[in-house]
Amino acid sequence: MIWVSVTISFFALRVVPYDAITAQLMEVGVSSEVIEVRRSALGLDLPLVLQYLHYLGGLVQGDLGVSLLNGLPVAELIVFNVYPTLELALSSLLIGCVLGVPLGMWGIAKRWDGVVGDRRLNVWLPYALPLRNFVIALILSVPGYWLGTILIWVFALELDWLPASGAGGLERLLLPAIVLGIGVAGGVATMSVVLVGDVLRQEYVRVAYGKGLSARSVTSKHVLRMILPGVVAHLNTQAVFLLGGTVITESVFSRSGLGRLLLDAAVRQDFPVVQGVVVWSSCMVLLANVVTTVMQTILDPRIRS
Amino acid sequence: MRMLIILFTALLIAPALAPYDPLMTQPSDAFQPPSIAHPLGTDQFGRDVLSRTLYGGRTTMTIALIAAGAAVALGGAAGTVMGVSGLGFGIVLRIVNTTNNALTTIPPITTAITISIMIRDNTQALIISAILSQLPHIIKWAQQVSEITTRMPHIEPAKALGARKIQILAQHIMPTLYPQIRGKMILTVQSTILLTTALNILGIGFSPEIPEWGNLLREGKEAYRQAPWIAAAPGLAITIINIILLRYADQTSR
Amino acid sequence: MHLISLFRLRVYLALLLVLALSPVPGFAQVERIIYGLSFEPSGFDPHRNASSELGIPLRQVYDTLVYRDPLSGEFVPGLAQSWEISADGLQYTFYLRQGVTFHDGTVFNAAAVAANLDRVTSPDTASQKAIFLLGSFAGYEVIDEYTIRVLLSTPFSALLDSFSQVYLGIASPTALANVSVDRYQFNQVGSGPFEFVEYVPGDRIVIRRFPGYSWGPQFYVSDSSDWISEIEFRFFADASSRAFVLEAGDAQIVGELLPIDARALISEPGITLEQVPIPGQPLQFLMNTTRFPTGSLEVRQALLFGTQREAIVDAVFQRFSPVAWGPISAATMFYSPVVQGSYGYDIDQSRALLEQAGFVDADANGYYDAEGGNLTVKVIVPPWGLIPQVAQLMQDQWRSIGIRAELESVPTRAAVFEAVSTGDYNLVAWYEFGADPVFLGNYFASTGTLNWTGYADSMLDSLLSQAASTNDFTLRAALYAQIQQIIMAQALVLPIRDYVNVVGQDSSIGNLTFDYFGWFPLLPNAAFVVD
């Protein structure tokens, strides 16, 4: 899998006519002969296939190559930048679940209570679901970068509660994690709605209600447990988009991280670094698959037994 | 569908309603708050934000429709073939399938950033990167959906009766798939809007003079202090359009 | 010469006045301050990397053989107490200061300079800038413990200027020998007023005051009890975030504020703005003389007359930058005021020139006609330095002179090279910085590697090469004056504004001044303002 994405990105990136070192030296006004000497020192004059084999050879030993501009190993650059990105991704995942699952389950319990005959709730019933659907649609529709600038404006500039930018510390993490987390929550909520619908059709839930258990306890005990594996599976499919979301969120909040590394390297045409970030995200997505399988085994009694 | 057509048509002809030339600068009118003359205010160069938002909608929507259409057509076709055949067409399909699965581990925005920096022509770069970056995910989706369809109860009898694959595809699978593809198309339009405007926000999309929602958002962000209204218009516009699209996608998938 | 120092003097006096008048609010004094850089350079090794951003921290870590006086631009002693240039301009003898030690205790001497020259010129270092600053470097001779002679193969009049730049800062030979070329950026040791503490890619670079420092150039303040003891540099790549950062107190000094933010911050209590002119090329558009229609002198002149630079400076740069009139900015060595005011905004003149060149508007659509439609110029617009905004205003302004501008925005520096290499452009925005205008040779000599105007004139060639090889100051001034005049007479560039870096700082920090190159702060002089 990783080999395929490495191969495609390797050749795609080298279609570009100028590499980082050429662009840098042209800027200083250096003659093309000198540039050629420098390129060959970096092995950039070799046939592409040969460069590719070198790269693969390094890759199996965990070597992602070196930056064309500062000579640092790409793996090291990734290690330097990985923490703020992981921190952002994981905390937004958490926020996404904490917001998304209850949102998806919102209104379900009330429907049952309504059937049972609580008048007060019957008044609310016609509005609960449409309102929930609208909230879900809204958070799925707001562009994260716009929400980000609004939050910066309100919380950092007008209210002066939280810092506007940078990485490090909980207070700098909060706003970007909320922005990204809200995006995650939209998907989680949509998925939960579907899953809850399936669960409620199951016989034993009706039985539980029939036994006179309160709607709240049915919801938390049975429904929540039944939908969790599905939610986890959904998060797995979203892992790749979450990683993409960190690129934009990091930019909006001027956070350091792999998104910044990728953007800087792409603009400077420092291909080994771009390639390294691509390999990293592929690895993370595959890792997410593994984690998901493990979690589902734990969460889903049917698989466990 | 009618509602969507109305929406798209409205966005495409909206520029006709624009009170000003979206490119005309009038530095003496810079950063005017919303007023009767400029219902949504003006930007740093005194350009009318309403006019720029209306023109921006056309640009953004045109790009989104072209890119999403191409991506869903290509991805839908490829994915369906792979799904229906059950990868039974031999080694070639299997290679395509593995490659595609590998590509779905790369975030679309990463692919899009890389591609748009490789292609010099802005509009082309934006469209191509929006197509290519989403294609693997669409192929994978179509493959899964069509694979499920082939296992549906009304397909089995047809197989048992010895109908040819093409026949099954045309008579049984396509009609079942059609509404799903239509729903996917709408969702892809939405994700393309988000993707292309994000690229413009990062400053690697369109020529900045082209009124486009992402560009407007970026300009708005730079002038937040002086003129918060600049970013408000395109941000709200994107949100509203997305809500409509989602609602519609919801209906078609039901 | 006098003009430059006068201009700078005025700027500094004005800044001092601002400082003196601005109320000092009771900011808590922090020993460690945060200095916001505009982006993270691609590497932090001064001998290897080329970014001007790296010099902001590293100027404080390294001493150079010579310094330029921040006001007059004259060379003053640094690690070299004095120097001699041979009559043929091929030998530079530096008499080094004694009693200097690097931060690691290594003694500074001729061998240390030699080790640095070896490193800069070594292929392993793969220097992206420093080696090219040495011009026709042909080796060196260590004469004695404190004397070294640098040899050139052809005269290169910018050599002293090069030795005053941080890229040729002198590093401890022990430190250079101890780590590999690639790791040196994490273990830097100089002899400057601050010592290097750490560099964490993606996050920060930290420097700390070096207690024993006593060999600084004359313009370094020798002692102050309110010195800033530690400085952490962070990266704020998103320009619009920098003002937020300053206001929120997340940084005490931030460079390259957006002009509209600077305009808003000007009235903010507790924040002081410094406007630092940067010598070098102004924001300019190079005009391609080898392609229709800018091949015609009249068209190039018409574009100059038809661009209302004052309006651009007002709207885009919020009047923080002066209008530029020639190929080098007013803060640059050998700037000639002769070009000042040339091609002032004049639509009638502009249209007259176009009609003189034979253009007519037969279809009366407001644009002059050309083969295949309207008279169109293609402009290559890179994304940095607010060039896109400038280009948008120019495009709108040129409507009134009947020229349609087609803007091609390119995402990266490499994309500019690619676009230029096709030859399919009329104007391209590009500029570089530097105190000595020797860089003009790259742009306007017929064989120049960045000759994007395509202009070739043997007279200009010989002026440029003469100016780059003589050490006669008066002669150079005269040559560069003539060069600037020719460039503008031929209308090879469309200059817009002289580059001014607007730096915002917390008012609790006083005496923040900058060196002659403009980018680099003289942080040893900065101190907390005492109530």
Side-chain angles (χ1 to χ4, degrees):
Chain A
M1 280 288 255
I2 292 183
W3 170 70
V4 176
S5 74
V6 164
T7 307
I8 291 180
S9 53
F10 183 94
F11 288 102
L13 281 169
R14 278 146 187 90
V15 174
V16 194
Y18 296 94
D19 53 69
I21 195 68
T22 307
Q24 179 65 65
L25 292 176
M26 285 180 89
E27 210 177 313
V28 193
V30 178
S31 70
S32 49
E33 294 82 33
V34 177
I35 293 176
E36 261 326 296
V37 172
R38 290 302 183 76
R39 291 188 76 235
S40 71
L42 287 163
L44 293 170
D45 60 335
L46 297 175
L48 261 189
V49 178
L50 221 55
Q51 290 188 44
Y52 170 68
L53 291 176
H54 279 179
Y55 188 83
L56 277 192
L59 197 62
V60 286
Q61 299 161 30
D63 176 9
L64 292 169
V66 293
S67 155
L68 297 180
L69 289 170
N70 63 17
L72 290 180
V74 174
E76 189 178 341
L77 286 172
I78 289 181
V79 169
F80 272 119
N81 285 284
V82 83
Y83 180 73
T85 300
L86 273 187
E87 173 189 73
L88 174 62
L90 292 177
S91 55
S92 58
L93 206 58
L94 186 72
I95 291 177
C97 292
V98 169
L99 288 178
V101 173
L103 189 57
M105 289 170 66
W106 179 22
I108 298 300
K110 294 189 172 67
R111 177 153 42 158
W112 284 95
D113 278 343
V115 172
V116 173
D118 185 324
R119 286 232 180 93
R120 194 162 42 89
L121 280 169
N122 271 339
V123 179
W124 269 103
L125 194 61
Y127 305 105
L129 289 182
L131 184 62
R132 180 202 65 189
N133 290 344
F134 179 73
V135 171
I136 294 178
L138 186 66
I139 62 182
L140 276 175
S141 300
V142 175
Y145 36 82
W146 187 56
L147 184 65
T149 35
I150 291 177
L151 292 187
I152 289 179
W153 187 46
V154 174
F155 289 100
L157 210 61
E158 296 296 319
L159 298 174
D160 202 9
W161 285 356
L162 291 166
S165 61
L170 189 65
E171 82 265 18
R172 283 170 208 284
L173 176 63
L174 203 55
L175 284 184
I178 287 175
V179 167
L180 199 51
I182 282 183
V184 177
V188 170
T190 316
M191 200 64 207
S192 304
V193 170
V194 176
L195 292 166
V196 165
D198 289 347
V199 171
L200 288 183
R201 265 176 244 123
Q202 306 281 330
E203 201 52 39
Y204 64 90
V205 179
R206 291 168 191 275
V207 171
Y209 278 106
K211 282 200 291 192
L213 289 175
S214 80
R216 189 173 296 273
S217 95
V218 172
T219 310
S220 56
K221 269 195 187 150
H222 298 281
V223 181
L224 185 59
R225 235 181 56 205
M226 292 308 294
I227 68 167
L228 272 186
V231 170
V232 171
H234 164 79
L235 288 177
N236 185 27
T237 64
Q238 295 303 300
V240 64
F241 301 102
L242 181 66
L243 285 178
T246 60
V247 177
I248 298 161
T249 314
E250 281 174 9
S251 165
V252 170
F253 288 92
S254 298
R255 281 175 65 87
S256 53
L258 290 169
R260 169 59 43 202
L261 184 68
L262 170 76
L263 262 180
D264 280 354
V267 167
R268 290 174 182 147
Q269 325 249 0
D270 198 345
F271 305 134
V273 180
V274 177
Q275 176 101 48
V277 178
V278 169
V279 170
W280 180 85
S281 51
S282 288
C283 290
M284 288 318 287
V285 171
L286 294 180
L287 182 69
N289 286 341
V290 175
V291 172
T292 306
T293 319
V294 173
M295 281 186 70
Q296 278 179 322
T297 327
I298 298 170
L299 286 172
D300 194 331
R302 283 168 298 188
I303 299 179
R304 204 167 28 186
S305 62
Chain B
M1 206 64 191
R2 201 175 303 141
M3 185 176 155
L4 274 192
I5 291 170
I6 293 171
L7 176 73
F8 291 149
T9 322
L11 282 169
L12 294 183
I13 61 166
L17 303 173
Y20 299 88
D21 177 343
L23 296 178
M24 197 186 68
T25 60
Q26 190 63 56
S28 56
D29 285 347
F31 294 140
Q32 296 285 314
S35 63
I36 294 171
H38 298 283
L40 295 180
T42 61
D43 69 5
Q44 186 183 359
F45 302 137
R47 293 174 300 200
D48 182 56
V49 174
L50 174 64
S51 308
R52 287 178 71 72
T53 309
L54 292 173
Y55 273 90
R58 183 172 68 180
T59 320
T60 306
M61 281 320 283
T62 314
I63 298 280
L65 284 176
I66 294 174
V72 172
L74 288 173
T80 309
V81 167
M82 280 154 60
V84 169
S85 65
L87 300 177
F89 285 138
I91 191 89
V92 179
L93 269 189
R94 232 167 270 191
I95 290 173
V96 173
N97 182 43
T98 316
T99 311
N100 190 65
N101 281 342
L103 289 178
T104 55
T105 61
I106 305 174
I109 186 86
T110 306
T111 317
I113 288 173
T114 318
I115 294 177
S116 33
I117 279 170
M118 296 194 312
I119 302 171
R120 204 149 44 78
D121 179 296
N122 292 132
T123 314
Q124 254 181 42
L126 214 51
I127 295 178
I128 293 176
S129 59
I131 296 174
L132 290 185
S133 61
Q134 302 186 86
L135 195 57
H137 299 271
I138 294 172
I139 294 180
K140 194 175 181 183
W141 169 86
Q143 187 196 347
Q144 284 166 349
V145 169
S146 55
E147 214 176 286
I148 293 168
T149 314
T150 51
R151 284 196 233 105
M152 281 185 164
H154 69 283
I155 308 288
E156 293 298 334
K159 272 193 200 161
L161 288 172
R164 289 177 30 220
K165 271 186 180 165
I166 296 287
Q167 220 176 336
I168 300 176
L169 190 66
Q171 289 177 356
H172 301 282
I173 296 180
M174 284 320 283
T176 326
L177 276 182
Y178 175 66
Q180 306 217 44
I181 289 185
R182 201 170 54 180
K184 187 68 182 173
M185 169 74 194
I186 296 164
L187 291 177
T188 310
V189 170
Q190 191 209 17
S191 60
T192 310
I193 293 177
L194 291 175
L195 186 74
T196 53
T197 47
L199 282 178
N200 282 315
I201 294 231
L202 295 174
I204 44 183
F206 268 124
S207 290
E209 90 281 3
I210 295 181
E212 187 273 353
W213 287 344
N215 276 340
L216 294 180
L217 278 174
R218 195 184 58 231
E219 289 169 18
K221 192 188 171 208
E222 282 173 3
Y224 236 133
R225 203 180 293 271
Q226 292 80 3
W229 52 84
I230 300 177
L236 265 179
I238 295 176
T239 310
I240 292 170
I241 296 224
N242 279 348
I243 289 181
I244 297 174
L245 287 175
L246 266 186
R247 205 184 145 67
Y248 194 77
D250 220 27
Q251 283 167 358
T252 52
S253 63
R254 227 176 266 156
Chain C
M1 195 44 223
H2 300 291
L3 259 160
I4 305 161
S5 49
L6 267 181
F7 175 65
R8 289 187 153 248
L9 203 60
R10 276 211 307 273
V11 170
Y12 284 111
L13 281 179
L15 289 177
L16 278 179
L17 198 67
V18 169
L19 274 177
L21 293 178
S22 61
V24 183
F27 269 101
Q29 284 190 9
V30 273
E31 292 266 280
R32 180 187 178 110
I33 65 163
I34 296 179
Y35 194 122
L37 301 182
S38 305
F39 57 89
E40 181 175 11
S42 51
F44 261 110
D45 187 330
H47 295 162
R48 168 186 265 179
N49 298 111
S51 163
S52 52
E53 214 65 10
L54 71 81
I56 295 176
L58 296 184
R59 175 77 270 185
Q60 328 303 327
V61 173
Y62 294 98
D63 281 321
T64 43
L65 290 182
V66 295
Y67 279 85
R68 293 196 94 132
D69 183 273
L71 300 179
S72 68
E74 269 170 68
F75 294 108
V76 295
L79 289 178
Q81 272 174 322
S82 61
W83 54 90
E84 274 165 16
I85 305 170
S86 66
D88 58 5
L90 295 177
Q91 300 188 356
Y92 285 64
T93 312
F94 293 97
Y95 301 96
L96 307 177
R97 188 183 290 268
Q98 305 188 11
V100 174
T101 52
F102 291 100
H103 302 144
D104 61 357
T106 307
V107 174
F108 166 76
N109 53 22
V113 177
N116 276 269
L117 288 173
D118 286 344
R119 181 172 193 259
V120 166
T121 51
S122 154
D124 291 341
T125 308
S127 171
Q128 294 156 20
K129 176 153 183 164
I131 189 172
F132 308 112
L133 286 176
L134 290 174
S136 58
F137 178 79
Y140 57 82
E141 287 166 24
V142 174
I143 308 290
D144 61 38
E145 168 100 46
Y146 288 102
T147 313
I148 188 164
R149 184 174 292 153
V150 173
L151 310 172
L152 297 179
S153 58
T154 54
F156 179 54
S157 54
L159 192 69
L160 274 187
D161 178 76
S162 300
F163 275 119
S164 76
Q165 297 192 34
V166 60
Y167 309 100
L168 290 172
I170 306 299
S172 158
T174 321
L176 292 179
N178 276 347
V179 288
S180 73
V181 174
D182 300 328
R183 311 310 301 179
Y184 177 71
Q185 52 186 315
F186 297 109
N187 304 281
Q188 308 197 40
V189 180
S191 66
F194 283 78
E195 60 180 321
F196 177 89
V197 178
E198 61 172 343
Y199 165 43
V200 182
D203 196 51
R204 65 182 181 275
I205 179 165
V206 181
I207 60 174
R208 187 190 306 131
R209 190 169 283 275
F210 181 66
Y213 185 74
S214 63
W215 42 82
Q218 58 198 38
F219 50 83
Y220 274 7
V221 176
S222 59
D223 192 22
S224 162
S225 53
D226 301 298
W227 272 353
I228 292 160
S229 54
E230 203 167 273
I231 305 171
E232 175 179 336
F233 297 85
R234 289 187 160 272
F235 315 113
F236 298 101
D238 178 12
S240 56
S241 75
R242 292 179 203 140
F244 290 148
V245 162
L246 190 63
E247 273 180 297
D250 282 352
Q252 283 68 49
I253 307 175
V254 179
E256 294 188 79
L257 289 171
L258 281 177
I260 48 174
D261 286 338
R263 181 57 56 206
L265 285 179
I266 224 166
S267 52
E268 193 80 9
I271 288 175
T272 311
L273 299 182
E274 313 275 341
Q275 300 175 40
V276 193
I278 310 280
Q281 293 175 319
L283 194 174
Q284 62 178 3
F285 290 82
L286 297 160
M287 296 201 249
N288 186 354
T289 60
T290 62
R291 187 177 182 270
F292 178 85
T294 42
S296 134
L297 177 62
E298 283 92 351
V299 172
R300 296 199 299 273
Q301 290 181 326
L303 287 170
L304 273 158
F305 278 118
T307 307
Q308 198 181 2
R309 289 175 263 195
E310 290 83 359
I312 296 175
V313 165
D314 275 2
V316 181
F317 300 102
Q318 301 287 311
R319 294 180 299 289
F320 282 109
S321 298
V323 166
W325 301 105
I328 54 178
S329 71
T332 319
M333 217 70 194
F334 308 121
Y335 168 73
S336 162
V338 177
V339 295
Q340 198 144 356
S342 59
Y343 303 106
Y345 184 53
D346 188 343
I347 297 187
D348 298 334
Q349 177 78 11
S350 181
R351 297 193 81 105
L353 279 163
L354 289 170
E355 268 150 41
Q356 194 182 317
F359 292 105
V360 286
D361 182 12
D363 53 8
N365 69 347
Y367 290 116
Y368 287 105
D369 307 331
E371 208 174 319
N374 300 319
L375 179 58
T376 304
V377 291
K378 184 167 172 187
V379 189
I380 295 175
V381 185
W384 56 81
L386 299 174
I387 296 170
Q389 281 85 336
V390 172
Q392 289 174 60
L393 283 185
M394 281 176 10
Q395 184 186 41
D396 198 39
Q397 289 172 2
W398 290 346
R399 289 195 206 188
S400 4
I401 55 168
I403 293 181
R404 201 175 74 83
E406 183 190 323
L407 308 185
E408 182 190 345
S409 103
V410 290
T412 62
R413 287 176 184 269
V416 175
F417 295 128
E418 195 195 334
V420 167
S421 71
T422 64
D424 180 23
Y425 64 96
N426 293 109
L427 293 94
V428 52
W430 191 262
Y431 50 89
E432 71 176 65
F433 303 112
D436 191 305
V438 68
F439 53 72
L440 288 176
N442 277 344
Y443 293 85
F444 300 105
S446 51
T447 53
T449 46
L450 299 169
N451 183 354
W452 293 347
T453 65
Y455 187 73
D457 172 35
S458 56
M459 156 96 161
L460 188 56
D461 285 359
S462 85
L463 289 172
L464 283 165
S465 75
Q466 231 186 314
S469 55
T470 174
N471 280 307
D472 180 337
F473 190 88
T474 338
L475 178 58
R476 290 192 80 195
L479 289 167
Y480 278 119
Q482 213 181 335
I483 290 165
Q484 290 169 65
Q485 228 171 336
I486 294 178
I487 291 172
M488 290 323 290
Q490 287 299 321
L492 300 180
V493 297
L494 166 52
I496 302 292
R497 66 124 179 181
D498 282 3
Y499 206 97
V500 170
N501 181 11
V502 184
V503 180
Q505 61 154 102
D506 189 311
S507 304
S508 67
I509 296 164
N511 203 23
L512 176 64
T513 54
F514 291 80
D515 79 348
Y516 191 74
F517 294 93
W519 283 121
F520 312 121
L522 302 168
L523 291 173
N525 292 359
F528 293 109
V529 177
V530 190
D531 289 310

